[in-house]
Amino acid sequence: MKVIYFGKIADVTNKTFEEIQLEKKDVKSLIIYLNEKYAIDLNEMQIAVNQNLVSKSEQITLKDSDEIAILSAFAGG
Amino acid sequence: MKVIYFGKIADVTNKTFEEIQLEKKDVKSLIIYLNEKYAIDLNEMQIAVNQNLVSKSEQITLKDSDEIAILSAFAGG
Amino acid sequence: MKKKKSVFKEGQITSDFIANAIAKHQVKTQIGAHNIFLGQVRKDVIEDKTVKAIDFSCYQEMADQKLHDIREETFEKFDLTCMHIYHSLGEVQVGEVCFFVFVSAPHRPQVYEATEYIVNRVKEEVPIFGKEIFEDASYQWKTNV
Amino acid sequence: MKKKKSVFKEGQITSDFIANAIAKHQVKTQIGAHNIFLGQVRKDVIEDKTVKAIDFSCYQEMADQKLHDIREETFEKFDLTCMHIYHSLGEVQVGEVCFFVFVSAPHRPQVYEATEYIVNRVKEEVPIFGKEIFEDASYQWKTNV
């Protein structure tokens, strides 16, 4: 599963994308992975699936074909 | 008493100022004068005394030293 | 910032003039948000006649006094770094800008409201007169309604 | 008017660019009122460090999609003739403009609110990221609060 990183997240992970293998392909597992590997806190990240932000508390299944992006806080304007 | 005209008023009177002799120097007499001489209707004019709009219904006395201006509707912007 | 200066410009307010006003604010590094209102002469059709231009005039002494009051009262009411008002005198053609209000502040929340406040007060209180000149050279006196 | 076009510009949005955008609207003679918002990089001091520039980046595909939605929904909500949004990418120095929202309508009442609506939605919903670079070359990630 390819995951892309933006803003502060890309800074912390020190990469703009990576291939991640999760046992259970869902949002919760992804959050746990990011927290364990990079110590990224839940409220420091936003998750977009196919260019739409998704809830971090709901159980959302992910597909390999999904475009999964981890975003830091927006700062436009 | 010198009276200055602006906008549509100056257009109707065909002058930008004139010297007016009123028996009673007040706003009411001025309104009557303008209506009789130029057929300017009460709601077509605004009266400024010393650069401030004054009420057309109140009895306001005018002095020779006052700057009296008759203005049509504002159209700035 | 609050100094009294000339609001009235002969003819249209050009986009170069506006650009220059914006560029001048780059040195004011406490500013985070600008809001600008521009009034443009509309090609209105009134009883089959098409507006070609507006010829503006004003009662200068009273206009200056009212603009001064508006400026002071706007600064009291809103937390602004700068404000500028410019208005055309003389003929301004359809499509040209005749009114330019420029408000700057450290943060954005109040800038929209401050701009609207200034625009409304100028329209209602400043003795500016406008002759709408039609394409056939006839005219009528414009009124702010 | 509603065509999708490039919002993102490399570096600052110059006053010449803004002037050119204004000048282009002179042929649209049904327009009577423009409202413009400009975001300027502020020289903030954060824990004794002074901001020198902001380095913007974005998640382009999602940003384009969100900007498209904002554009469509703004036209549905307000009676506008045109609207334009521009945002900088890359480094923008203190005092330079990084955000330009431009709204035009026949009459003025809705332009202020439309501008505010667009500015707020862009800030909240469009995935743009900004690194505040301090004068000592250290940095922190900016957050819209």
Side-chain angles (χ1 to χ4, degrees):
Chain A
M1 191 167 64
K2 190 185 170 189
V3 179
I4 51 181
Y5 300 127
F6 289 96
K8 188 177 178 178
I9 307 293
D11 203 7
V12 169
T13 61
N14 201 26
K15 45 179 82 84
T16 56
F17 68 94
E18 74 181 307
E19 198 65 43
I20 292 178
Q21 308 300 336
L22 295 175
E23 280 199 20
K24 208 156 160 259
K25 289 184 181 169
D26 59 25
V27 165
K28 183 174 274 179
S29 307
L30 180 60
I31 292 170
I32 293 169
Y33 175 91
L34 292 166
N35 182 258
E36 284 180 353
K37 185 162 177 193
Y38 300 111
I40 301 170
D41 195 67
L42 184 63
N43 52 42
E44 280 182 299
M45 67 172 105
Q46 306 183 79
I47 302 173
V49 178
N50 301 322
Q51 288 129 50
N52 282 303
L53 292 184
V54 297
S55 161
K56 291 180 285 188
S57 53
E58 280 172 55
Q59 197 47 286
I60 296 163
T61 304
L62 299 170
K63 296 192 299 288
D64 277 337
S65 59
D66 285 335
E67 182 169 309
I68 302 160
I70 314 297
L71 318 172
S72 59
F74 298 166
Chain B
M1 191 168 62
K2 189 186 170 188
V3 179
I4 50 180
Y5 300 126
F6 288 97
K8 188 177 178 178
I9 307 293
D11 203 7
V12 169
T13 61
N14 200 27
K15 47 178 82 84
T16 56
F17 69 94
E18 73 181 309
E19 198 64 44
I20 293 178
Q21 309 300 335
L22 295 175
E23 279 199 22
K24 212 163 158 251
K25 287 183 184 170
D26 59 24
V27 165
K28 184 173 273 179
S29 306
L30 180 59
I31 292 171
I32 292 168
Y33 175 92
L34 293 167
N35 182 258
E36 284 180 354
K37 184 161 178 193
Y38 300 112
I40 301 171
D41 195 68
L42 184 63
N43 52 42
E44 281 182 299
M45 66 172 106
Q46 305 182 81
I47 302 173
V49 178
N50 300 323
Q51 289 129 48
N52 283 303
L53 291 184
V54 297
S55 162
K56 291 180 284 187
S57 54
E58 280 172 54
Q59 197 48 285
I60 296 165
T61 304
L62 298 170
K63 295 192 301 288
D64 276 338
S65 59
D66 285 335
E67 181 169 309
I68 302 161
I70 314 297
L71 317 172
S72 59
F74 297 166
Chain C
M1 234 60 63
K2 297 194 191 180
K3 71 174 188 284
K4 204 165 159 181
K5 30 180 212 119
S6 179
V7 161
F8 294 105
K9 303 268 145 206
E10 192 59 33
Q12 70 162 312
I13 295 161
T14 65
S15 52
D16 280 350
F17 181 87
I18 298 162
N20 192 37
I22 295 167
K24 274 186 200 155
H25 286 75
Q26 299 212 324
V27 295
K28 302 196 176 179
T29 51
Q30 75 273 41
I31 292 172
H34 302 288
N35 195 251
I36 291 171
F37 179 86
L38 302 175
Q40 183 168 299
V41 176
R42 213 174 32 243
K43 194 172 183 168
D44 275 342
V45 177
I46 301 161
E47 290 167 12
D48 288 341
K49 290 181 174 191
T50 305
V51 172
K52 174 179 147 290
I54 298 179
D55 188 4
F56 289 104
S57 56
C58 79
Y59 173 14
Q60 183 94 43
E61 293 80 2
M62 180 173 163
D64 285 346
Q65 188 53 53
K66 292 295 162 204
L67 286 161
H68 177 75
D69 295 348
I70 293 169
R71 193 184 308 274
E72 293 294 311
E73 285 159 42
T74 305
F75 273 115
E76 270 166 40
K77 206 173 154 71
F78 301 99
D79 183 23
L80 302 179
T81 308
C82 319
M83 62 166 285
H84 303 276
I85 305 172
Y86 299 100
H87 200 290
S88 295
L89 287 182
E91 232 181 88
V92 181
Q93 308 302 310
V94 151
E96 292 179 346
V97 170
C98 59
F99 186 30
F100 172 26
V101 174
F102 186 10
V103 154
S104 309
H107 298 274
R108 75 189 195 281
Q110 290 199 311
V111 295
Y112 317 98
E113 197 190 333
T115 303
E116 184 171 10
Y117 174 84
I118 297 164
V119 169
N120 288 347
R121 287 201 60 184
V122 170
K123 286 190 173 246
E124 283 160 23
E125 298 174 35
V126 181
I128 298 168
F129 312 96
K131 222 157 100 168
E132 289 177 313
I133 301 168
F134 299 111
E135 285 178 348
D136 67 0
S138 65
Y139 66 86
Q140 75 167 23
W141 289 88
K142 178 175 177 269
T143 13
N144 281 349
V145 279
Chain D
M1 233 59 63
K2 298 193 192 181
K3 71 173 188 286
K4 204 165 158 180
K5 27 178 216 121
S6 179
V7 160
F8 294 105
K9 303 268 147 206
E10 193 58 34
Q12 70 162 312
I13 295 161
T14 65
S15 53
D16 281 349
F17 181 86
I18 297 162
N20 192 36
I22 294 167
K24 274 186 201 157
H25 286 75
Q26 300 211 324
V27 294
K28 301 197 177 178
T29 52
Q30 76 274 39
I31 292 173
H34 302 288
N35 195 248
I36 291 172
F37 178 87
L38 301 174
Q40 183 168 298
V41 176
R42 214 173 32 241
K43 195 173 183 167
D44 276 341
V45 177
I46 301 161
E47 291 168 12
D48 287 341
K49 290 182 173 191
T50 304
V51 172
K52 175 180 147 289
I54 298 180
D55 187 5
F56 289 104
S57 57
C58 78
Y59 173 14
Q60 183 94 45
E61 293 79 1
M62 181 173 162
D64 286 346
Q65 187 54 52
K66 292 294 162 201
L67 287 160
H68 177 76
D69 296 348
I70 293 169
R71 193 183 306 273
E72 293 293 311
E73 285 158 41
T74 305
F75 272 115
E76 270 167 40
K77 205 172 155 72
F78 301 98
D79 183 23
L80 303 179
T81 309
C82 319
M83 62 167 284
H84 303 274
I85 305 172
Y86 299 99
H87 200 290
S88 295
L89 287 183
E91 230 180 90
V92 181
Q93 307 302 309
V94 152
E96 292 179 345
V97 170
C98 60
F99 185 29
F100 171 27
V101 173
F102 186 10
V103 154
S104 310
H107 298 274
R108 75 188 195 281
Q110 291 199 309
V111 295
Y112 318 98
E113 196 189 333
T115 303
E116 184 170 11
Y117 174 84
I118 297 164
V119 169
N120 288 346
R121 288 200 60 183
V122 170
K123 286 190 173 248
E124 283 161 22
E125 297 174 35
V126 181
I128 297 169
F129 312 95
K131 222 157 99 168
E132 290 177 314
I133 301 169
F134 299 112
E135 285 177 348
D136 66 1
S138 66
Y139 66 87
Q140 75 167 23
W141 288 89
K142 178 174 177 270
T143 12
N144 281 349
V145 278

